[in-house]
Amino acid sequence: MAEGVQRGRVDAGERYDVFHTDCLARDVVDHVTSRWGVWVLIALRRNDLRFYELRESIQGVSEKMLAQTLRALVQDGLVWRKVEPTTPPQVTYGLTGFGREVGEPLTELFDRITRRLSPGP
């Protein structure tokens, strides 16, 4: 491959190269590790939540940023979205199998940090 040339697709058996800007895996990693992506995955680790419940549980996130983050995570296949046809519509979010798999190390990291920061006996 010539220097400076990036491929958009990866052949079967090849690994994704997350250092290339057009790598699909890089986009998912960027969404997961975004300022709010991590918190959405951690917030959904135990229960499916409605939009307003997520907004309340993740302090500091605006509705706009939460909506953008959820849209990206749904598009990446990490989070599912269910809309109930009520007035107003009730929208519930939860982790897909892929989302649980990706979120597990984040949850472990979060738990290790909080244990480390907790005052000892």
Side-chain angles (χ1 to χ4, degrees):
M1 185 159 88
E3 186 176 333
V5 175
Q6 297 180 17
R7 292 182 296 175
R9 301 186 62 87
V10 176
D11 297 329
E14 289 186 37
R15 295 185 57 157
Y16 286 99
D17 186 353
V18 295
F19 296 105
H20 285 260
T21 58
D22 60 351
C23 177
L24 297 175
R26 183 175 180 163
D27 289 339
V28 175
V29 169
D30 286 345
H31 296 152
V32 167
T33 60
S34 70
R35 179 171 183 188
W36 302 111
V38 170
W39 300 116
V40 168
L41 294 176
I42 290 173
L44 292 173
R45 71 182 185 250
R46 291 194 182 109
N47 296 316
D48 304 336
L49 297 171
R50 291 192 184 151
F51 183 87
Y52 79 89
E53 293 171 322
L54 268 170
R55 189 184 69 226
E56 289 177 4
S57 69
I58 305 172
Q59 294 183 4
V61 67
S62 68
E63 284 191 29
K64 178 183 175 183
M65 288 309 302
L66 181 57
Q68 287 177 357
T69 300
L70 286 166
R71 194 174 304 118
L73 295 174
V74 166
Q75 186 176 358
D76 292 338
L78 297 162
V79 172
W80 55 260
R81 177 180 190 265
K82 179 182 174 189
V83 180
E84 296 180 34
T86 59
T87 305
Q90 294 180 357
V91 183
T92 305
Y93 294 90
L95 294 178
T96 63
F98 181 42
R100 289 193 186 288
E101 191 177 328
V102 168
E104 189 174 312
L106 297 174
T107 298
E108 289 176 17
L109 175 65
F110 177 76
D111 290 344
R112 285 179 188 210
I113 290 170
T114 55
R115 279 194 307 271
R116 174 73 173 178
L117 296 176
S118 296

